[in-house]
Amino acid sequence: MSLLTIRDLHITYGAGPTAVPAVRGVDLTVDPGRKLGIAGESGCGKSTLALAMLRLLPATARLSGEILLDGEDVLTMKWGRLRAVRWAGASIVFQGAMHSLNAVHRVGDQIAEPLLVHRQASAAAARKRVGALLEQVGLPPSRASAYPHELSGGQRQRVMIAMALACDPRLIVADEPTTALDVMIQAQILRLLERLVTEQDISLVMISHDLAVLADTCDRLAVMYAGRIVEEGPARDVYDAARHPYGRALSAAFPRIGDPASRLAPRGLPGDPPDPAALPPGCTFHPRCPSALETCRSEDPPLVQAAPGHRAACVLTPGSPA
């Protein structure tokens, strides 16, 4: 059985005629011990989807569909059960650790908090566990006494990962965990996440705008555009041979080491994702799509199989009803 199953998830902000659709009919699964990457430009709904997995969205959000964690629907859990699931069943690593950590508390106390609340650990046991967690993420236990501003960006991100691991969750959701880090530290954090999920048999959902990072880190990759999944499949297949024009554009936007063509003529994608409050009719990508057909202006194609285990939502995909 899949550890995480998302079925027909819709998320809107506000209500009535002014409601803004942020996520539109998403279906995804994550098996135990596997790593799923979710890619897309800013404004495509990635972070909204990540926060929904643990029901962390504001009260203005309206959700329908199912988010099944170990068979239980997160959207219908009572608050007591939801509080128990957070940290212990699934945890999240937010982007921007400096903004996520409490500036007036030592990092060791912040890592210990879920242990004290969810595990009812004694103060001595919590301190011992904090030291072990810091060593696990490559920091000396003595850094537990530091305040967030006394740590570098990479060290703060390691603290966030240690906190996420505190109660031995089965699923970690990492929302842009390497944002604002330099490339060397980014590589260290990514290798750390990979090692930890492999050693502890944890499932990982990783959110990023960087398709290359996700392809190198994850088993499967989903590409979001305007709140929808437009492509999903094995990570290297999506990166190397995307079947949706948007997936190809994302892949081509990053120069590849050793490829003179991509280095000398990097390609981008003109324009911006549509305003969720004013989505175009038909395929929402058609105003920016270099391969758009007339039918794309009126028909929004469903996800269909483009290759074994690989789906794409494009009228040019073999097998598409359009």
Side-chain angles (χ1 to χ4, degrees):
M1 185 176 73
S2 297
L3 176 63
L4 176 71
T5 302
I6 299 175
R7 294 179 184 155
D8 195 27
L9 181 65
H10 291 260
I11 304 172
T12 59
Y13 291 105
T18 60
V20 177
V23 171
R24 304 181 298 128
V26 165
D27 293 285
L28 285 173
T29 59
V30 182
D31 292 332
R34 308 301 285 177
K35 296 168 286 187
L36 171 69
I38 303 177
E41 295 168 280
S42 296
C44 287
K46 307 185 303 299
S47 291
T48 292
L49 179 59
L51 293 172
M53 293 176 192
L54 286 173
R55 225 166 88 193
L56 293 170
L57 293 170
T60 53
R62 300 287 183 269
L63 295 87
S64 66
E66 293 181 320
I67 301 175
L68 303 177
L69 184 62
D70 260 339
E72 287 188 84
D73 192 349
V74 173
L75 301 186
T76 60
M77 286 180 182
K78 296 187 180 298
W79 280 110
R81 177 58 183 155
L82 182 62
R83 187 169 180 263
V85 165
R86 291 173 178 168
W87 296 107
S91 59
I92 188 165
V93 178
F94 295 102
Q95 57 178 301
M98 190 62 187
H99 303 294
S100 302
L101 293 169
N102 192 318
V104 299
H105 289 286
R106 301 180 191 275
V107 296
D109 294 336
Q110 297 183 61
I111 298 171
E113 184 175 1
L115 294 166
L116 298 171
V117 172
H118 292 278
R119 292 288 179 84
Q120 286 81 51
S122 66
R127 282 195 300 272
K128 183 177 180 180
R129 173 70 170 151
V130 167
L133 285 165
L134 288 173
E135 287 187 323
Q136 232 179 343
V137 298
L139 291 175
S142 60
R143 302 308 280 162
S145 61
Y147 289 96
H149 71 272
E150 297 176 313
L151 302 176
S152 68
Q155 289 174 328
R156 287 193 293 266
Q157 204 62 50
R158 289 170 187 267
V159 168
M160 290 293 297
I161 294 170
M163 195 181 304
L165 292 169
C167 294
D168 298 312
R170 296 190 62 201
L171 172 70
I172 289 181
V173 180
D175 185 12
E176 303 266 13
T178 57
T179 295
L181 299 179
D182 64 66
V183 291
M184 293 297 291
I185 300 302
Q186 173 179 281
Q188 292 175 18
I189 296 298
L190 292 173
R191 296 291 83 77
L192 171 64
L193 277 170
E194 280 189 284
R195 176 176 62 81
L196 291 172
V197 298
T198 299
E199 289 178 355
Q200 301 187 32
D201 198 29
I202 298 170
S203 297
L204 173 70
V205 175
M206 185 167 166
I207 313 293
S208 179
H209 64 277
D210 192 329
L211 207 67
V213 163
L214 294 177
D216 193 42
T217 306
C218 299
D219 306 306
R220 296 189 67 80
L221 185 55
V223 177
M224 284 192 78
Y225 188 79
R228 280 192 66 199
I229 301 296
V230 297
E231 185 161 6
E232 189 266 337
R236 294 308 312 184
D237 288 357
V238 174
Y239 182 59
D240 293 329
R243 304 304 177 95
H244 192 282
Y246 183 59
R248 290 196 293 271
L250 282 183
S251 179
F254 297 93
R256 305 190 185 199
I257 295 173
D259 181 2
S262 69
R263 180 174 61 85
L264 297 174
R267 290 172 287 170
L269 186 63
D272 297 299
D275 182 348
L279 294 174
C283 173
T284 51
F285 184 61
H286 86 261
R288 304 172 72 192
C289 182
S291 307
L293 305 176
E294 187 60 34
T295 187
C296 301
R297 300 177 182 274
S298 57
E299 298 182 24
D300 197 8
L303 279 168
V304 297
Q305 182 166 297
H310 190 155
R311 303 179 298 159
C314 179
V315 297
L316 299 176
T317 301
S320 171

